Amino acid sequence: MIWNNEFETLPREALEALQLKRLKNVLERVYETVPFYKKRFDEAGADPYAVRTLDDLTNFPFTYKTDLRDNYPCGLFTVPQDQVVRLHASSGTTGKPTVVGYTQRDVETWSEVMARSLTGAGLGKHDVLQVAFGYGLFTGGLGAHYGGEKIGASVIPASGGNSKRQIMLLKDLNVTGICCTPSYALNLMDIAAELGEDIRDFPIKVGVFGAEPWTDEMRRTVEEGWGIDAIDIYGLSEIIGPGVSCECLEAKRGMHINEDHFLVEVIDPVTGRVLPKGEVGELVFTTITKEAMPLIRYRTRDLSRLITQPCKCGRTFHRMEKVMGRSDDMLIIRGVNVFPSQIESVLVSRKGVLPHYMLIVDRIGTLDTLEVHVEVEGDFFFDEVRKLQELEKTLEKDIKDIIGVTAKIKLVEPKSIARFEGKAQRVIDKRK
Ligand code: DLL
């Protein structure tokens, strides 16, 4: 299903003409109103008035998360405060958070892209949508909420946590769609079982999950466990929040980027060079309609690749493959680059292994070590020791063969690894 046929199915030529018009407008606007951009553009010799094609964007400098911090809290805003109707902030791991602002029109744009995402996931006005993303400074809750209301669904602002109540709401209010992180979806599955409920019997038909990396193997686990379709949604607060891109129910393969609002480039994270379409690299976004805080060539650190082939759903927007992870989350273990999502793929494909794991990285002397703690099904854990040891060896071999890194596997009993209500934390790096 398509929410906005006027834009989501625009022929590429018309879309690109629209993008160019909007791009010129935003480049001129930030140059005239934000001293940071004026200085950066001038230093790079990038003239916003000389832009003729979309490719000219590559002449402009990147914007980094540190630029938001350096201009904390609102130094990158293009409008006076009386036009800002909402502020969100993302918690930085250290120091000050990054603050983002929205005008009334930005909130409208955000609701629009979320309405498109939820419609693409098969939801509509007859649905009951439980929003179990956190409400607050995090953009997940309110983003899904506004989108849900826009499509006319009955929205339940459950927020994250209070899991037993979530299960009760799901059942008693005949919820047909849920939004939360994929790790919270796993968590809720277990809680339902503990309460003696078979979540597969609930009327729910679709989950729209995001805010953290998750693999197709994890998708299968969630889909089977809940008896639903699991859709991936992507976004970041700096660009707008959730709704930058989302999968469609028809293909469930790659997230359609709302390209009438966000331009995407994929670059080599080391050289900054724009990569040919289809190669894996860092996603860089330029917002072309945002009013309060547009961002030009924003370096997300998220690694993915673009899919430019037409999609069977009829949308003309290009898609981005599931995010492998953030370049900052990449572990370098004895010289080998490893993403937690690669380990997840290997673990979750083996029978008896549960999708709850933790990676513990350490350095002993000069050697990096990787230990993977992963839960196995109860029957399995309490079965023969020999079978457990065999599975440990099998997983160690899989990881070595597929990823090329040596890991020590430790199988642990169910429910011994931390559960999450928001974004999962799956790595403890003791080297830091
Ligand atoms: O996580 C916004 C969001 C809310 C997206 C709900 C989807 C659903 P931030 O807290 O600013 O915003 O974190 C943004 O989360 O740069 C990615 O690294 C990661 N991320 C978000 N969605 C996905 C996804 C929200 N579907 C950061 N797959 C991004 C993988 C994701 N990573």
Side-chain angles (χ1 to χ4, degrees):
M1 277 188 292
I2 292 178
W3 171 255
N4 188 329
N5 260 310
E6 189 187 345
F7 290 100
E8 291 180 81
T9 54
L10 258 187
R12 294 290 309 174
E13 213 174 298
L15 175 64
E16 284 167 18
L18 177 72
Q19 287 175 324
L20 181 60
K21 192 169 122 219
R22 290 180 168 179
L23 174 65
K24 284 198 221 170
N25 181 290
V26 76
L27 289 172
E28 289 170 18
R29 191 152 48 85
V30 296
Y31 185 76
E32 297 298 344
T33 53
V34 185
F36 161 82
Y37 280 115
K38 175 157 191 357
K39 184 160 174 286
R40 274 286 171 85
F41 289 6
D42 286 347
E43 280 165 4
D47 178 1
Y49 295 97
V51 170
R52 297 286 170 268
T53 69
L54 286 172
D55 286 341
D56 291 342
L57 177 59
T58 57
N59 301 330
F60 287 79
F62 294 119
T63 310
Y64 298 85
K65 195 169 186 101
T66 46
D67 295 322
L68 271 84
R69 294 233 169 83
D70 294 345
N71 291 281
Y72 178 84
C74 304
L76 297 189
F77 286 20
T78 61
V79 296
Q81 201 229 305
D82 65 359
Q83 289 181 39
V84 175
V85 299
R86 178 90 66 78
L87 295 159
H88 280 274
S90 68
S91 53
T93 32
T94 49
K96 300 275 193 195
T98 42
V99 175
V100 296
Y102 303 74
T103 62
Q104 193 63 58
R105 210 185 84 185
D106 292 335
V107 172
E108 177 47 39
T109 304
W110 190 14
S111 312
E112 162 72 19
V113 293
M114 278 308 297
R116 293 178 186 179
S117 304
L118 296 172
T119 306
L123 292 163
K125 64 179 177 187
H126 300 294
D127 285 290
V128 180
L129 179 66
Q130 185 156 330
V131 178
F133 281 126
Y135 280 63
L137 290 179
F138 175 57
T139 50
L142 282 166
H145 186 106
Y146 275 55
E149 284 190 350
K150 193 169 174 78
I151 62 170
S154 312
V155 179
I156 308 172
S159 194
N162 210 338
S163 306
K164 287 187 181 159
R165 193 182 62 186
Q166 302 268 3
I167 303 296
M168 184 191 75
L169 293 171
L170 279 167
K171 188 177 174 186
D172 295 352
L173 300 185
N174 287 321
V175 170
T176 50
I178 186 165
C179 292
C180 62
T181 58
S183 50
Y184 194 44
L186 286 177
N187 194 346
L188 286 176
M189 219 161 83
D190 288 355
I191 308 251
E194 274 168 29
L195 295 171
E197 298 282 4
D198 188 350
I199 212 164
R200 296 180 57 92
D201 293 340
F202 288 16
I204 185 153
K205 59 180 188 185
V206 67
V208 183
F209 304 123
E212 63 186 11
W214 55 306
T215 57
D216 276 322
E217 288 75 12
M218 186 71 90
R219 187 208 301 268
R220 274 194 286 280
T221 305
V222 173
E223 290 192 329
E224 279 165 23
W226 280 72
I228 57 171
D229 283 299
I231 300 289
D232 197 358
I233 185 164
Y234 169 86
L236 57 165
S237 36
E238 297 91 315
I239 298 304
I240 204 151
V244 171
S245 63
C246 189
E247 285 177 339
C248 58
L249 188 61
E250 290 88 337
K252 281 202 268 181
R253 168 78 213 288
M255 294 170 269
H256 289 279
I257 301 163
N258 282 299
E259 289 184 277
D260 52 336
H261 296 288
F262 317 112
L263 296 190
V264 64
E265 299 168 85
V266 175
I267 63 155
D268 177 324
V270 178
T271 62
R273 193 174 57 87
V274 177
L275 295 172
K277 295 236 159 52
E279 283 190 27
V280 174
E282 180 181 337
L283 297 169
V284 171
F285 286 103
T286 298
T287 66
I288 50 175
T289 53
K290 274 266 286 300
E291 288 183 335
M293 201 191 84
L295 281 176
I296 308 302
R297 302 195 87 201
Y298 185 67
R299 299 279 301 253
T300 63
R301 303 276 169 213
D302 293 324
L303 300 176
S304 178
R305 64 179 203 89
L306 295 182
I307 305 172
T308 52
Q309 287 80 9
C311 182
K312 58 180 162 191
C313 71
R315 287 177 182 78
T316 47
F317 293 156
H318 288 157
R319 288 170 281 170
M320 52 180 265
E321 192 91 69
K322 266 183 161 313
V323 173
M324 289 170 66
R326 297 175 62 78
S327 51
D328 340 345
D329 293 341
M330 188 180 77
L331 300 166
I332 305 180
I333 315 256
R334 299 193 204 172
V336 182
N337 298 347
V338 187
F339 282 99
S341 59
Q342 290 174 288
I343 306 261
E344 179 180 296
S345 294
V346 174
L347 298 176
V348 182
S349 11
R350 282 280 169 192
K351 208 168 167 296
V353 178
L354 295 171
H356 302 287
Y357 62 94
M358 184 65 84
L359 311 185
I360 297 150
V361 188
D362 205 350
R363 183 168 290 141
I364 297 178
T366 54
L367 271 192
D368 298 320
T369 59
L370 170 63
E371 202 170 284
V372 179
H373 292 192
V374 58
E375 292 181 11
V376 277
E377 282 168 5
D379 300 351
F380 209 103
F381 188 78
F382 297 107
D383 212 344
E384 293 166 56
V385 175
R386 190 180 52 82
K387 270 177 75 183
L388 269 187
Q389 287 171 340
E390 264 171 27
L391 182 57
E392 283 178 348
K393 291 278 158 296
T394 308
L395 289 172
E396 283 169 5
K397 185 166 181 314
D398 285 351
I399 290 177
K400 181 78 194 169
D401 291 350
I402 298 167
I403 309 172
V405 73
T406 306
K408 167 106 193 65
I409 299 281
K410 190 164 177 229
L411 299 178
V412 296
E413 65 182 295
K415 305 206 171 63
S416 52
I417 288 176
R419 298 293 195 263
F420 306 94
E421 291 173 351
K423 297 186 191 235
Q425 175 70 43
R426 300 201 196 273
V427 181
I428 300 173
D429 195 339
K430 296 183 175 167
R431 299 173 302 183
K432 284 182 181 156

